[in-house]
Amino acid sequence: MKKSKYLFVLLLLISISVVLLCGTFFYVKLNNKESDDSELLVMTSCNPVYLATINVVGDAEGVTVQNLSQPTTGCLHDYTLTTEDMKNLSKADVLIVNGGGMEGYLEDVVEAYPNLPIIDTFEAVEEDYPVIIEEEAEEEEEDHSHGTSEEHHHDEGANSHIWMSEEIYAGQVQAIADGLAALDSSNASVYASNADTFVSVMDSQIDNQGLDETLSGANVAVLHEAFAYTAQSLGANIVATMDLDEERQVSAGEVSDFIDAINENNVQVVFAEYDYGHAMGELITEQTDAKVVYLETLVHGEYSGLDYITVLNKNYAVIKNSL
Ligand SMILES: [Zn+2]
Ligand SMILES: [Zn+2]
């Protein structure tokens, strides 16, 4: 009897010390998490938004910018996030998106992380900047169904490839600076001055090589909605659009209508993306006098630093050289 009483006390002492140990361990863990949280992890949805954000953040204290994975083919609006991306978002303090329906997965993110703040740059610029509304958006939706998602970019009637306009992009940069300042007031002035600097560097370094005069009022055609903004930036007049930003069937009627529009309107140049546009591009070169140029949309690949400026300048040089 005496022996078992000692055993009981001993067990009691052991369990108390285990609880204390666990408590200490847990306390340390919690503390670590807190110090981690003082760092701001900013996630971005796509290359253009990533490039704007790293320039706005610069070397702001304690802020990390990370881009979600990017599609290797097709356009952004048909892309879904990897499970790795979804996991990474659980650590994020804010997600910055292009918006306007470009991120078809956004609803899933909101559902999974209802408390994650989202900076929507499209929403921020749509009132004050020249966002293109597609007149035929509804009609087109009936003609080509290439997605089952209700969030598809055509549904809203607005062309959400807004980053291709350097004017609207400057607005997105500003929206990112404002959004981050609201979340992280300690760096607010850093964001504001970095945004100003980036916008003025864009102003001085983006060179359309006089195309805003050469192509002002000229008739052009586009094989990708993103280049509607290239045309807009140059003051060119779009007479035909074929949305080839993804794998889809193009009807013979659609092709001949497009060729006719080019011939009837004396289109000088057609803006295309190589991946989905080159087959149609070859046809246009054969059957019309228009030049077809292959431009970049920034959607695929990895970019850093001032690559936004480099890509736009490259696009303008390609157009200039074709004329
Ligand atoms: Zn697209
Ligand atoms: Zn589409």
Side-chain angles (χ1 to χ4, degrees):
M1 196 62 190
K2 209 179 176 191
K3 206 177 181 187
S4 71
K5 199 180 175 190
Y6 275 122
L7 195 66
F8 176 74
V9 171
L10 191 67
L11 280 173
L12 194 70
L13 280 173
I14 289 171
S15 54
I16 286 170
S17 52
V18 166
V19 166
L20 280 175
L21 250 165
C22 282
T24 315
F25 184 65
F26 193 61
Y27 178 75
V28 170
K29 265 234 122 119
L30 266 178
N31 256 5
N32 270 344
K33 196 171 182 324
E34 257 162 39
S35 67
D36 269 356
D37 273 0
S38 69
E39 308 267 305
L40 195 73
L41 177 58
V42 180
M43 290 289 225
T44 56
S45 71
C46 59
N47 293 328
V49 170
Y50 173 75
L51 289 174
T53 305
I54 57 171
N55 280 286
V56 166
V57 167
D59 46 19
E61 194 95 18
V63 188
T64 310
V65 183
Q66 209 177 311
N67 203 13
L68 291 169
S69 67
Q70 299 300 301
T72 49
T73 60
C75 203
L76 211 60
H77 43 81
D78 299 306
Y79 187 64
T80 47
L81 287 183
T82 64
T83 45
E84 179 83 20
D85 286 326
M86 276 308 251
K87 247 189 352 208
N88 286 340
L89 279 170
S90 71
K91 292 175 244 155
D93 296 298
V94 56
L95 171 65
I96 310 182
V97 299
N98 181 77
M102 194 49 77
E103 292 86 358
Y105 51 76
L106 206 54
E107 229 168 75
D108 297 339
V109 173
V110 171
E111 208 171 292
Y113 306 111
N115 297 322
L116 177 67
I118 293 174
I119 299 173
D120 186 325
T121 61
F122 182 90
E123 218 173 79
V125 301
E126 67 178 328
E127 294 289 315
D128 302 324
Y129 289 84
V131 170
I132 298 171
I133 307 297
E134 283 149 4
E135 296 156 41
E136 289 178 291
E138 263 175 63
E139 200 185 307
E140 202 185 311
E141 189 62 22
E142 284 162 27
D143 281 348
H144 79 276
S145 53
H146 44 243
T148 47
S149 162
E150 285 173 19
E151 281 287 283
H152 192 273
H153 63 138
H154 298 291
D155 297 349
E156 319 221 345
N159 182 338
S160 51
H161 304 76
I162 47 173
W163 67 86
M164 292 299 292
S165 153
E166 57 260 48
E167 181 190 348
I168 304 178
Y169 191 66
Q172 292 182 279
V173 170
Q174 196 55 56
I176 291 166
D178 294 346
L180 287 177
L183 286 167
D184 176 21
S185 54
S186 62
N187 280 313
S189 61
V190 178
Y191 300 137
S193 82
N194 285 348
D196 282 351
T197 305
F198 184 46
V199 169
S200 66
V201 170
M202 281 200 288
D203 272 348
S204 66
Q205 290 189 14
I206 294 176
D207 180 10
N208 66 26
Q209 316 222 9
L211 286 169
D212 55 337
E213 281 181 25
T214 321
L215 287 181
S216 171
N219 289 343
V220 300
V222 298
L223 289 179
H224 190 302
E225 287 180 300
F227 304 132
Y229 285 106
T230 309
Q232 186 198 60
S233 294
L234 301 174
N237 180 36
I238 298 174
V239 295
T241 301
M242 192 183 264
D243 178 19
L244 294 181
D245 56 3
E246 56 231 293
E247 209 91 52
R248 69 174 178 93
Q249 293 294 315
V250 182
S251 72
E254 201 181 338
V255 172
S256 69
D257 284 354
F258 195 78
I259 298 282
D260 287 350
I262 291 175
N263 284 324
E264 282 159 20
N265 295 290
N266 294 316
V267 165
Q268 288 187 50
V269 58
V270 180
F271 302 153
E273 196 205 25
Y274 189 81
D275 289 350
Y276 292 117
H278 76 278
M280 187 64 199
E282 275 167 38
L283 206 67
I284 293 166
T285 309
E286 277 168 29
Q287 300 189 6
T288 77
D289 292 330
K291 298 275 177 13
V292 180
V293 292
Y294 297 103
L295 310 176
E296 276 182 51
T297 61
L298 283 146
V299 169
H300 309 133
E302 263 182 52
Y303 296 96
S304 62
L306 297 175
D307 282 349
Y308 176 83
I309 296 170
T310 314
V311 168
L312 256 68
N313 281 343
K314 211 172 127 197
N315 282 349
Y316 291 139
V318 169
I319 299 169
K320 175 79 178 177
N321 292 336
S322 78
L323 298 173

